[in-house]
Amino acid sequence: MADGVHRIPLPLPNDGLRSVNVYAIADGDGLTLVDSGWALAEARQRLEDALAGIGHELGDVRRFLITHVHRDHYTLAVVVRRLFGSRVLLGAGERESLNLIINTDASPSAVYRRLLLRCGALPLLERMRRNWPERDQGGEWEKPDAWLDGTQEIALGGRTLRAIPTPGHTRGHLVFADLGHGLLFAGDHVLPHITPSIGFEPARPPLPLWDYLGSLRLVRSLPDLRLLPAHGAVTGSAHARIDELIAHHDRRLDATAGVIRAGASTAYEAAGALRWTRRERLFDDLDPFNQMMAVMETAAHLDVLVRQGRLRSSAGAPGGEPAGSPGGQATAAAGGEGAGGPGGELARGLPVGDVVRYQA
Ligand SMILES: [Zn+2]
Protein backbone atom coordinates (compact mmCIF):
# COMPACT_ATOMS: atom_id res chain seq x y z
CA MET A 1 0.00 0.00 0.00
CA ALA A 2 2.51 2.52 1.25
CA ASP A 3 5.66 2.33 3.34
CA GLY A 4 4.93 -0.06 6.17
CA VAL A 5 1.18 -0.39 5.47
CA HIS A 6 -0.30 -3.60 4.09
CA ARG A 7 -3.90 -4.32 3.10
CA ILE A 8 -4.98 -7.87 3.96
CA PRO A 9 -8.43 -8.91 2.69
CA LEU A 10 -9.95 -11.67 4.83
CA PRO A 11 -12.91 -13.88 3.94
CA LEU A 12 -16.48 -13.46 5.22
CA PRO A 13 -19.13 -16.16 5.38
CA ASN A 14 -22.01 -14.07 4.00
CA ASP A 15 -23.29 -13.93 0.47
CA GLY A 16 -23.24 -10.13 0.60
CA LEU A 17 -19.80 -8.62 1.19
CA ARG A 18 -17.00 -10.88 0.05
CA SER A 19 -14.17 -9.71 2.27
CA VAL A 20 -13.09 -7.36 5.02
CA ASN A 21 -9.79 -5.47 4.80
CA VAL A 22 -7.42 -5.64 7.73
CA TYR A 23 -4.54 -3.14 7.56
CA ALA A 24 -1.21 -4.16 9.06
CA ILE A 25 1.02 -1.23 10.00
CA ALA A 26 4.67 -1.55 10.99
CA ASP A 27 5.04 -0.49 14.62
CA GLY A 28 8.58 -0.80 15.95
CA ASP A 29 9.57 -4.42 15.55
CA GLY A 30 5.92 -5.51 15.74
CA LEU A 31 2.64 -4.62 14.10
CA THR A 32 -0.51 -2.65 14.81
CA LEU A 33 -3.58 -3.89 12.94
CA VAL A 34 -6.59 -1.77 12.05
CA ASP A 35 -9.55 -4.16 12.40
CA SER A 36 -9.13 -7.90 12.76
CA GLY A 37 -11.60 -9.85 10.64
CA TRP A 38 -14.28 -12.35 11.61
CA ALA A 39 -13.32 -15.14 14.02
CA LEU A 40 -13.32 -17.90 11.40
CA ALA A 41 -10.60 -20.57 11.09
CA GLU A 42 -10.18 -19.69 7.41
CA ALA A 43 -9.75 -15.98 8.15
CA ARG A 44 -7.17 -16.68 10.83
CA GLN A 45 -5.20 -18.90 8.45
CA ARG A 46 -5.33 -16.26 5.73
CA LEU A 47 -4.12 -13.62 8.18
CA GLU A 48 -1.22 -15.83 9.31
CA ASP A 49 -0.22 -16.47 5.68
CA ALA A 50 -0.37 -12.78 4.81
CA LEU A 51 1.70 -11.79 7.84
CA ALA A 52 4.28 -14.48 6.95
CA GLY A 53 4.48 -12.87 3.50
CA ILE A 54 5.70 -9.64 5.09
CA GLY A 55 8.08 -11.36 7.49
CA HIS A 56 5.83 -11.48 10.55
CA GLU A 57 3.74 -13.89 12.56
CA LEU A 58 0.51 -13.54 14.51
CA GLY A 59 2.42 -13.11 17.78
CA ASP A 60 3.96 -9.89 16.41
CA VAL A 61 0.58 -8.16 16.53
CA ARG A 62 0.97 -5.87 19.53
CA ARG A 63 -2.30 -4.07 19.18
CA PHE A 64 -5.63 -4.03 17.34
CA LEU A 65 -7.33 -0.71 16.64
CA ILE A 66 -10.94 -1.66 15.93
CA THR A 67 -13.14 0.70 13.93
CA HIS A 68 -16.41 -0.71 15.30
CA VAL A 69 -18.03 -3.57 17.12
CA HIS A 70 -19.47 -5.50 14.14
CA ARG A 71 -18.26 -9.08 14.18
CA ASP A 72 -16.40 -8.93 10.86
CA HIS A 73 -14.16 -6.23 12.34
CA TYR A 74 -13.86 -7.19 16.00
CA THR A 75 -14.11 -10.89 16.75
CA LEU A 76 -10.84 -12.28 15.37
CA ALA A 77 -8.97 -9.80 17.59
CA VAL A 78 -10.45 -11.50 20.64
CA VAL A 79 -9.18 -14.89 19.44
CA VAL A 80 -5.66 -13.56 18.75
CA ARG A 81 -5.57 -11.82 22.13
CA ARG A 82 -6.30 -15.11 23.92
CA LEU A 83 -3.30 -16.69 22.19
CA PHE A 84 -0.74 -13.88 22.25
CA GLY A 85 -1.95 -11.19 24.61
CA SER A 86 -2.33 -8.48 21.94
CA ARG A 87 -4.09 -5.36 23.16
CA VAL A 88 -7.54 -4.63 21.72
CA LEU A 89 -8.83 -1.05 21.57
CA LEU A 90 -12.40 -0.09 20.68
CA GLY A 91 -14.42 3.14 20.59
CA ALA A 92 -16.10 4.01 23.88
CA GLY A 93 -19.39 4.56 22.09
CA GLU A 94 -19.64 0.79 21.51
CA ARG A 95 -19.77 0.00 25.22
CA GLU A 96 -23.53 -0.22 25.46
CA SER A 97 -23.95 -2.40 22.37
CA LEU A 98 -21.15 -4.74 23.45
CA ASN A 99 -22.70 -5.09 26.90
CA LEU A 100 -25.97 -6.10 25.27
CA ILE A 101 -24.20 -8.61 23.01
CA ILE A 102 -22.21 -10.17 25.88
CA ASN A 103 -25.02 -10.15 28.42
CA THR A 104 -26.92 -13.34 27.73
CA ASP A 105 -29.97 -11.99 29.53
CA ALA A 106 -30.43 -9.26 26.96
CA SER A 107 -30.93 -10.66 23.51
CA PRO A 108 -29.98 -8.21 20.75
CA SER A 109 -32.62 -9.77 18.54
CA ALA A 110 -35.26 -8.71 21.06
CA VAL A 111 -34.04 -5.16 20.53
CA TYR A 112 -34.45 -5.42 16.76
CA ARG A 113 -37.89 -6.96 17.20
CA ARG A 114 -38.97 -3.99 19.28
CA LEU A 115 -37.57 -1.57 16.71
CA LEU A 116 -39.37 -3.37 13.92
CA LEU A 117 -42.64 -3.23 15.84
CA ARG A 118 -42.18 0.54 16.15
CA CYS A 119 -41.75 0.57 12.38
CA GLY A 120 -45.07 -1.22 11.85
CA ALA A 121 -43.25 -4.27 10.47
CA LEU A 122 -45.21 -7.05 12.18
CA PRO A 123 -45.64 -9.01 8.90
CA LEU A 124 -41.87 -8.95 8.42
CA LEU A 125 -41.30 -10.19 11.97
CA GLU A 126 -43.49 -13.16 11.16
CA ARG A 127 -41.40 -13.88 8.05
CA MET A 128 -38.14 -13.55 10.01
CA ARG A 129 -39.07 -15.90 12.79
CA ARG A 130 -37.12 -18.77 11.24
CA ASN A 131 -34.21 -16.82 9.76
CA TRP A 132 -33.20 -15.04 12.90
CA PRO A 133 -31.16 -17.61 14.86
CA GLU A 134 -28.74 -18.45 12.03
CA ARG A 135 -27.90 -14.83 11.36
CA ASP A 136 -27.39 -14.09 15.01
CA GLN A 137 -25.14 -16.95 16.10
CA GLY A 138 -21.39 -17.34 16.37
CA GLY A 139 -18.64 -14.89 17.02
CA GLU A 140 -16.33 -14.31 19.92
CA TRP A 141 -17.33 -11.49 22.21
CA GLU A 142 -15.29 -10.12 25.09
CA LYS A 143 -14.53 -6.61 26.27
CA PRO A 144 -11.58 -4.70 24.81
CA ASP A 145 -8.48 -3.89 26.88
CA ALA A 146 -9.19 -0.18 26.54
CA TRP A 147 -11.94 2.12 25.29
CA LEU A 148 -10.93 4.97 23.01
CA ASP A 149 -12.88 7.98 24.15
CA GLY A 150 -12.99 11.22 22.16
CA THR A 151 -10.40 12.23 19.58
CA GLN A 152 -6.91 11.13 20.48
CA GLU A 153 -3.48 10.60 18.99
CA ILE A 154 -2.01 7.13 18.95
CA ALA A 155 1.76 6.91 18.49
CA LEU A 156 3.13 4.06 16.41
CA GLY A 157 6.78 3.62 15.57
CA GLY A 158 7.23 6.16 12.78
CA ARG A 159 3.73 7.60 12.54
CA THR A 160 0.81 9.01 14.49
CA LEU A 161 -2.77 7.91 14.01
CA ARG A 162 -5.56 10.23 15.06
CA ALA A 163 -8.57 8.25 16.33
CA ILE A 164 -11.69 10.24 15.45
CA PRO A 165 -15.19 9.29 16.63
CA THR A 166 -17.51 9.01 13.61
CA PRO A 167 -20.88 7.81 14.95
CA GLY A 168 -23.48 6.67 12.43
CA HIS A 169 -22.72 3.23 11.01
CA THR A 170 -22.49 2.36 14.71
CA ARG A 171 -22.52 4.84 17.57
CA GLY A 172 -18.92 4.10 18.60
CA HIS A 173 -17.39 3.95 15.11
CA LEU A 174 -13.87 5.37 14.77
CA VAL A 175 -11.74 6.29 11.79
CA PHE A 176 -7.96 6.50 12.08
CA ALA A 177 -6.32 9.34 10.16
CA ASP A 178 -2.61 9.28 9.38
CA LEU A 179 -2.27 12.95 8.42
CA GLY A 180 1.50 12.72 8.06
CA HIS A 181 1.20 10.09 5.32
CA GLY A 182 -2.14 11.22 3.88
CA LEU A 183 -4.05 8.03 4.78
CA LEU A 184 -7.55 7.50 6.14
CA PHE A 185 -8.29 4.11 7.70
CA ALA A 186 -12.02 4.58 7.28
CA GLY A 187 -13.56 1.34 8.58
CA ASP A 188 -17.16 1.24 7.30
CA HIS A 189 -17.70 5.01 7.64
CA VAL A 190 -16.76 5.68 4.02
CA LEU A 191 -16.96 2.72 1.64
CA PRO A 192 -16.11 3.05 -2.05
CA HIS A 193 -18.94 1.01 -3.65
CA ILE A 194 -21.80 0.80 -1.17
CA THR A 195 -23.45 3.01 1.40
CA PRO A 196 -22.89 1.62 4.89
CA SER A 197 -25.90 0.52 6.89
CA ILE A 198 -26.96 3.00 9.54
CA GLY A 199 -27.51 2.13 13.20
CA PHE A 200 -27.55 -1.66 12.84
CA GLU A 201 -26.52 -2.23 16.45
CA PRO A 202 -28.17 -3.41 19.66
CA ALA A 203 -27.90 0.01 21.34
CA ARG A 204 -29.31 1.99 18.43
CA PRO A 205 -29.32 5.72 19.18
CA PRO A 206 -32.37 7.92 18.42
CA LEU A 207 -30.97 9.58 15.27
CA PRO A 208 -28.26 7.39 13.71
CA LEU A 209 -28.49 8.95 10.24
CA TRP A 210 -28.29 12.47 11.68
CA ASP A 211 -25.14 11.36 13.51
CA TYR A 212 -23.79 9.75 10.34
CA LEU A 213 -24.25 12.84 8.17
CA GLY A 214 -22.50 14.92 10.84
CA SER A 215 -19.61 12.43 10.87
CA LEU A 216 -19.33 12.64 7.07
CA ARG A 217 -19.04 16.42 7.31
CA LEU A 218 -16.44 16.06 10.05
CA VAL A 219 -14.19 13.86 7.92
CA ARG A 220 -14.86 16.11 4.90
CA SER A 221 -13.36 18.95 6.96
CA LEU A 222 -10.02 17.13 7.23
CA PRO A 223 -7.46 17.46 4.44
CA ASP A 224 -8.29 15.09 1.58
CA LEU A 225 -6.72 11.68 2.28
CA ARG A 226 -6.35 8.38 0.45
CA LEU A 227 -9.33 6.22 1.34
CA LEU A 228 -8.42 2.88 2.94
CA PRO A 229 -11.84 1.29 3.46
CA ALA A 230 -12.73 -1.87 5.36
CA HIS A 231 -14.51 -3.28 2.31
CA GLY A 232 -13.43 -2.80 -1.30
CA ALA A 233 -10.46 -1.21 -3.01
CA VAL A 234 -8.32 1.72 -1.91
CA THR A 235 -9.17 4.97 -3.73
CA GLY A 236 -7.36 8.28 -4.10
CA SER A 237 -9.82 10.69 -2.48
CA ALA A 238 -11.94 10.30 0.64
CA HIS A 239 -13.53 13.69 -0.13
CA ALA A 240 -14.85 12.58 -3.52
CA ARG A 241 -16.60 9.57 -2.03
CA ILE A 242 -17.97 11.55 0.93
CA ASP A 243 -19.55 14.02 -1.51
CA GLU A 244 -21.24 11.10 -3.29
CA LEU A 245 -22.51 9.66 -0.02
CA ILE A 246 -23.98 12.99 1.10
CA ALA A 247 -25.68 13.41 -2.30
CA HIS A 248 -27.04 9.85 -2.06
CA HIS A 249 -28.64 10.53 1.32
CA ASP A 250 -30.07 13.85 0.10
CA ARG A 251 -31.80 12.02 -2.75
CA ARG A 252 -32.90 9.29 -0.39
CA LEU A 253 -34.37 11.78 2.09
CA ASP A 254 -36.34 13.40 -0.75
CA ALA A 255 -37.61 10.03 -1.98
CA THR A 256 -38.58 9.00 1.54
CA ALA A 257 -40.52 12.23 2.11
CA GLY A 258 -42.15 11.58 -1.26
CA VAL A 259 -43.59 8.17 -0.35
CA ILE A 260 -45.01 9.61 2.89
CA ARG A 261 -46.70 12.38 0.90
CA ALA A 262 -48.02 9.66 -1.41
CA GLY A 263 -49.73 7.89 1.48
CA ALA A 264 -47.28 5.61 3.32
CA SER A 265 -47.47 6.19 7.06
CA THR A 266 -45.05 3.79 8.79
CA ALA A 267 -41.39 3.01 8.14
CA TYR A 268 -42.47 -0.43 6.95
CA GLU A 269 -44.93 1.01 4.43
CA ALA A 270 -42.39 3.58 3.27
CA ALA A 271 -39.67 0.92 2.81
CA GLY A 272 -42.13 -1.13 0.77
CA ALA A 273 -42.72 1.82 -1.56
CA LEU A 274 -39.03 2.60 -2.12
CA ARG A 275 -36.52 0.88 -4.43
CA TRP A 276 -33.46 -0.87 -3.01
CA THR A 277 -29.82 -1.41 -3.91
CA ARG A 278 -28.04 0.01 -6.94
CA ARG A 279 -30.22 -2.27 -9.06
CA GLU A 280 -33.42 -0.53 -7.92
CA ARG A 281 -34.94 -3.74 -6.60
CA LEU A 282 -38.44 -4.04 -5.20
CA PHE A 283 -38.73 -4.43 -1.45
CA ASP A 284 -40.67 -7.67 -1.95
CA ASP A 285 -37.72 -9.15 -3.85
CA LEU A 286 -35.31 -8.73 -0.89
CA ASP A 287 -34.78 -11.58 1.56
CA PRO A 288 -36.20 -11.05 5.07
CA PHE A 289 -32.86 -10.07 6.59
CA ASN A 290 -32.34 -7.37 3.96
CA GLN A 291 -35.97 -6.30 4.35
CA MET A 292 -35.20 -5.73 8.03
CA MET A 293 -32.15 -3.65 7.10
CA ALA A 294 -34.28 -1.71 4.62
CA VAL A 295 -36.97 -0.94 7.19
CA MET A 296 -34.40 0.25 9.74
CA GLU A 297 -32.67 2.35 7.09
CA THR A 298 -36.02 3.91 6.17
CA ALA A 299 -36.80 4.65 9.82
CA ALA A 300 -33.44 6.42 10.12
CA HIS A 301 -34.31 8.63 7.13
CA LEU A 302 -37.82 9.35 8.42
CA ASP A 303 -36.48 10.43 11.80
CA VAL A 304 -34.04 12.83 10.14
CA LEU A 305 -36.92 14.28 8.11
CA VAL A 306 -38.81 14.87 11.37
CA ARG A 307 -35.71 16.43 12.92
CA GLN A 308 -35.46 18.73 9.89
CA GLY A 309 -39.10 19.73 10.31
CA ARG A 310 -40.08 18.24 6.92
CA LEU A 311 -42.34 15.54 8.41
CA ARG A 312 -44.24 15.08 11.62
CA SER A 313 -44.31 11.88 13.63
CA SER A 314 -46.72 10.42 16.19
CA ALA A 315 -43.72 10.02 18.50
CA GLY A 316 -42.83 13.71 18.42
CA ALA A 317 -39.29 14.77 17.71
CA PRO A 318 -36.66 12.03 17.92
CA GLY A 319 -33.43 12.60 19.75
CA GLY A 320 -34.88 14.25 22.82
CA GLU A 321 -34.41 17.73 21.34
CA PRO A 322 -37.17 20.22 20.69
CA ALA A 323 -39.21 19.49 17.59
CA GLY A 324 -38.37 21.46 14.48
CA SER A 325 -42.00 22.39 14.00
CA PRO A 326 -44.68 23.63 16.36
CA GLY A 327 -46.85 20.95 17.87
CA GLY A 328 -44.08 18.41 18.32
CA GLN A 329 -44.02 16.80 21.73
CA ALA A 330 -40.97 15.98 23.74
CA THR A 331 -39.72 12.46 23.14
CA ALA A 332 -41.01 9.89 25.56
CA ALA A 333 -38.46 9.22 28.25
CA ALA A 334 -37.51 5.65 29.07
CA GLY A 335 -40.81 4.00 29.65
CA GLY A 336 -43.10 1.27 28.52
CA GLU A 337 -41.83 -2.25 28.15
CA GLY A 338 -38.17 -1.26 27.85
CA ALA A 339 -37.81 0.52 31.16
CA GLY A 340 -35.91 -1.08 33.99
CA GLY A 341 -34.79 -4.16 32.06
CA PRO A 342 -31.62 -4.54 30.05
CA GLY A 343 -33.31 -2.57 27.29
CA GLY A 344 -33.98 0.37 29.59
CA GLU A 345 -30.87 2.28 28.55
CA LEU A 346 -31.78 1.67 24.96
CA ALA A 347 -35.26 2.88 25.27
CA ARG A 348 -33.98 6.28 26.35
CA GLY A 349 -35.21 8.65 23.72
CA LEU A 350 -36.95 5.90 21.80
CA PRO A 351 -40.66 5.63 22.30
CA VAL A 352 -41.39 1.93 22.54
CA GLY A 353 -44.44 -0.19 22.28
CA ASP A 354 -46.33 1.92 19.76
CA VAL A 355 -46.16 2.00 16.00
CA VAL A 356 -44.75 5.34 14.92
CA ARG A 357 -46.69 7.07 12.12
CA TYR A 358 -45.44 9.86 9.91
CA GLN A 359 -47.17 12.53 7.90
CA ALA A 360 -46.13 15.44 5.74
ZN1 LIG B 1 -17.96 -4.09 7.89
Side-chain angles (χ1 to χ4, degrees):
M1 282 288 329
D3 272 352
V5 179
H6 303 269
R7 182 173 75 102
I8 305 173
L10 297 180
L12 298 176
N14 289 343
D15 45 1
L17 291 166
R18 260 190 304 245
S19 62
V20 58
N21 294 325
V22 169
Y23 293 93
I25 308 171
D27 186 3
D29 55 1
L31 297 168
T32 283
L33 265 53
V34 175
D35 285 333
S36 74
W38 187 312
L40 303 166
E42 192 194 346
R44 180 183 153 185
Q45 187 60 53
R46 198 84 68 86
L47 179 59
E48 287 195 29
D49 294 347
L51 294 181
I54 57 173
H56 282 285
E57 52 191 50
L58 218 42
D60 293 339
V61 179
R62 305 271 185 265
R63 169 167 56 182
F64 288 96
L65 302 174
I66 306 294
T67 59
H68 63 292
V69 75
H70 283 165
R71 74 179 75 226
D72 51 328
H73 300 257
Y74 185 64
T75 53
L76 190 51
V78 170
V79 173
V80 174
R81 175 174 69 179
R82 283 182 201 147
L83 296 169
F84 299 105
S86 327
R87 278 175 64 75
V88 178
L89 288 81
L90 181 66
E94 305 293 48
R95 201 187 301 243
E96 209 176 317
S97 280
L98 188 59
N99 280 342
L100 281 165
I101 293 167
I102 290 173
N103 178 355
T104 49
D105 295 335
S107 157
S109 61
V111 173
Y112 299 127
R113 287 195 184 94
R114 196 158 61 230
L115 278 169
L116 287 173
L117 285 175
R118 255 189 102 230
C119 293
L122 188 60
L124 172 57
L125 276 172
E126 301 292 338
R127 288 198 290 281
M128 290 195 73
R129 217 162 277 253
R130 277 190 210 96
N131 286 36
W132 208 297
E134 304 158 37
R135 287 279 194 172
D136 227 34
Q137 270 170 10
E140 302 285 342
W141 299 105
E142 291 171 8
K143 291 193 175 163
D145 296 285
W147 298 102
L148 290 167
D149 207 352
T151 298
Q152 52 183 281
E153 311 269 303
I154 299 169
L156 279 64
R159 72 181 74 225
T160 302
L161 295 185
R162 183 181 297 174
I164 304 170
T166 46
H169 178 61
T170 63
R171 63 197 297 172
H173 192 287
L174 298 170
V175 299
F176 299 95
D178 179 350
L179 296 168
H181 296 80
L183 305 176
L184 180 69
F185 300 92
D188 284 0
H189 181 51
V190 184
L191 296 172
H193 302 303
I194 58 170
T195 58
S197 65
I198 300 298
F200 181 54
E201 57 197 320
R204 181 178 165 111
L207 280 171
L209 179 62
W210 184 268
D211 300 339
Y212 180 66
L213 295 171
S215 296
L216 285 179
R217 287 191 294 270
L218 175 67
V219 177
R220 185 65 172 78
S221 72
L222 298 173
D224 198 7
L225 304 170
R226 278 181 88 190
L227 174 63
L228 280 60
H231 306 280
V234 170
T235 71
S237 167
H239 281 186
R241 183 55 184 155
I242 289 170
D243 291 344
E244 290 174 1
L245 289 167
I246 290 173
H248 162 84
H249 284 292
D250 281 346
R251 285 194 304 274
R252 205 64 188 167
L253 286 165
D254 289 345
T256 306
V259 297
I260 296 294
R261 279 196 300 273
S265 87
T266 65
Y268 180 63
E269 289 170 6
L274 289 163
R275 295 296 185 121
W276 293 95
T277 80
R278 279 174 295 172
R279 272 158 292 182
E280 302 276 304
R281 296 173 70 190
L282 293 170
F283 181 82
D284 286 344
D285 293 340
L286 304 176
D287 69 33
F289 181 84
N290 281 303
Q291 288 185 343
M292 175 185 75
M293 300 297 280
V295 170
M296 291 184 17
E297 186 85 8
T298 303
H301 283 81
L302 287 166
D303 289 336
V304 165
L305 288 163
V306 173
R307 181 68 180 75
Q308 291 174 336
R310 294 167 68 186
L311 295 180
R312 284 177 297 145
S313 117
S314 61
E321 295 184 39
S325 58
Q329 313 145 252
T331 306
E337 57 181 285
E345 279 288 278
L346 271 168
R348 207 184 329 109
L350 278 181
V352 291
D354 286 320
V355 175
V356 179
R357 300 191 176 277
Y358 300 85
Q359 61 184 113

